[in-house]
Structure formats: structure tokens, C-alpha cells
Amino acid sequence: MVRLVIKVGSHVLTENSTIVKERMMALVKFVSELKEYNYEVILVSSGAVAAGYTLLPLDRSSVANRQALAAIGQPLLLKMYQEKFAKFGFLCSQILLSADVFDSRKATAYAKVAIDTLLANGVVPIINENDTVSIEELVFGDNDRLSAHVTHYFDAQMLVILSDIDAFYNKDPNCYGDAVRRPVVTHISAEELAAEHTPNNEFATGGIVTKLQSADFLMKHGREMFLASGFDLSDARSFLLEKVHKGGTLFK
Ligand code: ADP
């Protein structure tokens, strides 16, 4: 069995301040297909703040309010996942982590035992940052770095980032019409890793730089990362289910 981590960004799951149910359903269907195909899948999902905002529209410009919105939205987000996974006959589960879990070998080992046990029982672990006690990814990162740590420390072969962008380009394709997709990347330069952060909307706090940092971390640890569109899952589907690399970027 190949262990995968699938990370879905807040852009993909939300639009106009609400969770887009169709996209969540497509994601859940995809994860279910991967499981049928004999992949072990850990999902890292953003979207708690947006889900919270649908229940209580607090001003999201304050970090304290975003923490509160995450606390309100997280149970709703999980409820939505539970209902959707049930349609495919799967149970899902919630694991809230803070980045410092990975600073302690003991804490990492405890968490890994739980993850291994869930996967051994066919349950989908759904991981998010515990934003009420640890705001690193809430402020900046949108779970990109968290998902890289999850991939390495929970011993997955590959991180699949489902993003609002369908690949890594030689320059920002939202600014340059002549940007060219890079299908395979084996080295990331120091300048690329230190570039300006480019979050794209009010919910996203990541941008391409945190994705490159995650890819760099994984490549240095002998693991791979695949960046593809979360709006249209066909590139991720061909890559993982048909073993054909059409679109997307493989970092290896
Ligand atoms: P997510 O959907 O995962 O939250 P983000 O919006 O955080 O994604 O990051 C993706 C954005 O990064 C793209 O929409 C794009 O505008 C920007 N970007 C900047 N430089 C590049 C590049 N070289 N290749 C791809 N995307 C880039």
C-alpha cells in the first residue's frame, strides 16, 4: 500500500464565504477512489474559518476572530466530510495538530500510532491545524507546511497539493500570460524559496512560496510532492490512478 497525504487549500473548498459542497463532494469521491485503488489516504483540509463564517460572520481581518471562526467552523467542516464519506461507505476522523507536535519525538510517535491505527481500520484521518492554540498556519501557510510535516513524519511517500493553481510555472501565471508550466522539478533555488508570499484571496494565507518550501523539505527527505488543480481533479486522477502525468508539477 502506498501512503499519500492529500492537502486541499481553502480556495478550492470555499467561494463567496461559503464551503462549495460540489467541490468537497468531488474531493471525497476522489479520496474514496484512491482508497479502493489501495492507497492509504490522509487528508489535510483547510476551510474551518470559512465554514465558521457561514455561521457567524465575524470580521476576518483580526487573527483572534479567525481563531474563533476556526473553532466554530471545524465541527461543521467535519460534519460535512462525515456525511459525504458515509455516502461512499467510509468513516472519517478528526486530528487537530499544532506544528510543535513534530518538535517532540514522543508526541510525533503518539500521533503516528493513532494515524496508523485509523488507516489500518480503513478510516480517513482528516488533519487540520489546531488554530485555537497554534496560529502559525492560520496566519501564514494555509496548511502547506503542516502537510509537508505530516507527510514526512507519518511516513507517506507523497504529498498531493490540490490548489487553485494547476501547476508550478516559471513565473506567476495569474500575472504573466506567457508563463510556462514546469512538469518536473528536482531543485528549488534559494531565491525561489525566499520570494514574496503571494496569497490570492482573503482566506488563503499560503501562496506559491509555502508550497515550494514544502516541496523542498520533502525532496530533501527523499519524498515527493505533486501540485495540481483542486478545481478540476482530472490531472491528479490521471497521475495517481492511471499513472499518466498529463498536467500538474511533480517535485522529486
Ligand atoms: P491554494 O489554493 O493552495 O490556497 P494559493 O493561492 O495559496 O493556493 O497559491 C497559489 C497561487 O500562487 C496562484 O494562484 C498564483 O497566483 C501564485 N503563484 C505565484 N507564482 C507562481 C508560480 N510560479 N507558479 C504557480 N503559481 C504561482
Side-chain angles (χ1 to χ4, degrees), residues 45-207:
S45 177
S46 310
V49 174
Y53 188 82
T54 64
L55 300 176
L56 185 67
L58 299 177
D59 174 11
R60 286 176 303 239
S61 61
S62 110
V63 173
N65 281 352
R66 295 214 298 282
Q67 286 174 263
L69 285 170
I72 296 163
Q74 184 64 28
L76 173 60
L77 188 70
L78 253 288
K79 181 168 167 273
M80 294 171 82
Y81 273 121
Q82 263 177 339
E83 286 168 2
K84 291 179 174 55
F85 273 112
K87 293 202 163 77
F88 297 92
F90 289 117
L91 271 178
C92 62
S93 55
Q94 167 176 279
I95 296 113
L96 297 178
L97 295 179
S98 50
D100 59 15
V101 164
F102 300 113
D103 295 341
S104 149
R105 272 199 217 175
K106 215 173 174 183
T108 303
Y110 286 143
K112 184 167 183 295
V113 167
I115 298 280
D116 288 347
T117 307
L118 290 165
L119 290 170
N121 286 283
V123 179
V124 182
I126 303 183
I127 297 179
N128 199 355
E129 187 192 42
N130 188 353
D131 291 322
T132 45
V133 298
S134 155
I135 58 169
E136 200 179 313
E137 297 280 331
L138 183 70
V139 174
F140 174 70
D142 194 34
N143 283 340
D144 286 334
R145 284 173 307 203
L146 181 75
S147 54
H149 288 146
V150 164
T151 304
H152 176 57
Y153 291 107
F154 297 158
D155 201 21
Q157 188 172 315
M158 180 184 280
L159 167 63
V160 178
I161 295 195
L162 299 175
S163 175
D164 73 329
I165 197 77
D166 63 352
F168 176 51
Y169 289 77
N170 64 340
K171 48 191 166 181
D172 187 347
N174 288 326
C175 304
Y176 301 93
D178 61 345
V180 178
R181 176 174 72 99
R182 298 185 56 189
V184 179
V185 171
T186 52
H187 173 76
I188 302 167
S189 69
E191 300 84 75
E192 285 172 317
L193 288 172
E196 289 252 329
H197 306 299
T198 53
N200 213 11
N201 82 359
E202 56 185 322
F203 289 113
T205 44

Side-chain angles (χ1 to χ4, degrees), residues 22-38:
E22 298 72 30
R23 277 189 227 143
M24 190 190 254
M25 192 63 191
L27 171 72
V28 167
K29 181 167 179 278
F30 181 45
V31 172
S32 303
E33 282 173 336
L34 290 168
K35 284 174 66 63
E36 303 287 358
Y37 195 86
N38 255 358

